[in-house]
Amino acid sequence: MAGALLITSGTKMNIAYDVPMGTEPKFELISTFARSIDESAFLISVPLKGGRPLQADPSQKLLMRYNFGSEQHIIAGYVDDVVKEGIRKYWKIRRVQEQRRFFERADERYKVALRLEYMQDTWEPNEDGIIEKEEGMTLDISFGGLAMFLNRRFEVGETIFTTFPKVGTSDEGKLKTDIPGVVCWMREAPKGSAYKLVTGLKFRFGDDEEKEVFKDYVSYVKNRYRL
């Protein structure tokens, strides 16, 4: 479970029902954050629908969006209980291991499936002293980040290194170095997927030259696949 929530009492939250990956959730309900109970549970005011309190569905996963500073966050959870305090009623939300952090995106994202590899430099090397990489596949990609399918779970804020495939014969279709990315969110993959999880990464380039080389790579992929 991620650490303590970056949120204060009275913060407005927009709520949506969870949807399959690739579908945009509709944040049509409004609630107010009341307080944390512990690191895995907190209270929110009961959302209204049509002017009436919404009935809690413990089996329905909820996405709760709020702002903290200049960043927008989404946390996920289920209604664990309905708590009455005086004349007020609250939903007790039990968090699940997911906290998506959204950054302002200046770059357009392109939907493309590229088989790539990923690893962490803290993984135990094999008997030859080599860290074995695992395979993943991109869901979409931009100049500054990507969404990818994978089978290993990471915590929000962790850094992983991605190795992109060679595309075509041009030098622009080949990257000579791995690209580090920070995990912004992690969630279960849709049923029937070849992978267990989906994650979003925000790249951290070593310098402007590395960033420009990657932009050329994404532009080449875009033109090659006519995205």
Side-chain angles (χ1 to χ4, degrees):
M1 174 61 64
L5 287 172
L6 297 175
I7 188 170
T8 57
S9 297
T11 298
K12 295 296 181 184
M13 307 180 81
N14 296 96
I15 300 177
Y17 294 113
D18 192 27
V19 293
M21 177 57 63
T23 304
E24 190 70 22
K26 296 181 179 180
F27 290 91
E28 300 176 327
L29 302 173
I30 298 177
S31 181
T32 301
F33 181 81
R35 71 176 188 276
S36 293
I37 297 175
D38 53 41
E39 285 195 352
S40 65
F42 56 91
L43 297 182
I44 64 172
S45 64
V46 178
L48 300 179
K49 186 173 184 178
R52 309 186 66 157
L54 191 65
Q55 292 295 313
D57 182 354
S59 66
Q60 177 66 61
K61 184 178 180 181
L62 302 175
L63 303 177
M64 291 150 280
R65 183 177 67 189
Y66 66 96
N67 293 323
F68 183 80
S70 61
E71 295 179 349
Q72 188 176 89
H73 299 255
I74 291 181
I75 53 178
Y78 295 85
V79 180
D80 195 44
D81 196 6
V82 178
V83 178
K84 186 174 182 180
E85 295 184 350
I87 61 172
R88 297 183 181 276
K89 287 186 177 180
Y90 300 92
W91 280 357
K92 178 184 175 184
I93 303 295
R94 180 68 57 181
R95 293 172 65 189
V96 295
Q97 185 150 334
E98 173 178 0
Q99 180 160 344
R100 282 177 270 173
R101 182 179 299 164
F102 286 77
F103 301 84
E104 292 186 6
R105 290 180 180 168
D107 305 319
E108 183 178 358
R109 296 217 165 198
Y110 306 104
K111 289 190 175 296
V112 61
L114 297 175
R115 291 190 179 277
L116 46 66
E117 295 180 317
Y118 64 92
M119 52 80 77
Q120 285 187 311
D121 54 10
T122 55
W123 289 359
E124 191 72 24
N126 61 21
E127 58 184 13
D128 296 320
I130 298 173
I131 295 178
E132 297 181 357
K133 299 178 180 180
E134 297 186 3
E135 183 185 279
M137 179 177 290
T138 61
L139 176 65
D140 60 48
I141 187 173
S142 76
F143 296 149
L146 58 71
M148 64 178 285
F149 293 102
L150 71 172
N151 288 319
R152 183 184 289 256
R153 186 178 294 278
F154 295 95
E155 295 289 342
V156 170
E158 286 191 86
T159 297
I160 64 177
F161 294 84
T162 50
T163 305
F164 285 84
K166 186 178 186 300
V167 178
T169 58
S170 170
D171 288 342
E172 292 179 340
K174 181 179 180 180
L175 292 175
K176 297 180 180 179
T177 60
D178 293 347
I179 306 297
V182 178
V183 177
C184 298
W185 53 265
M186 176 75 66
R187 66 181 294 177
E188 304 294 324
K191 290 183 178 180
S193 173
Y195 296 87
K196 297 177 182 178
L197 302 161
V198 189
T199 189
L201 301 182
K202 180 177 174 62
F203 295 133
R204 284 187 174 172
F205 299 102
D207 51 40
D208 289 340
E209 181 179 355
E210 187 177 278
K211 186 174 183 179
E212 289 304 315
V213 170
F214 187 75
K215 281 186 176 182
D216 290 340
Y217 177 83
V218 174
S219 297
Y220 181 81
V221 170
K222 173 190 173 185
N223 294 331
R224 182 175 177 84
Y225 291 102
R226 298 180 181 180
L227 303 175

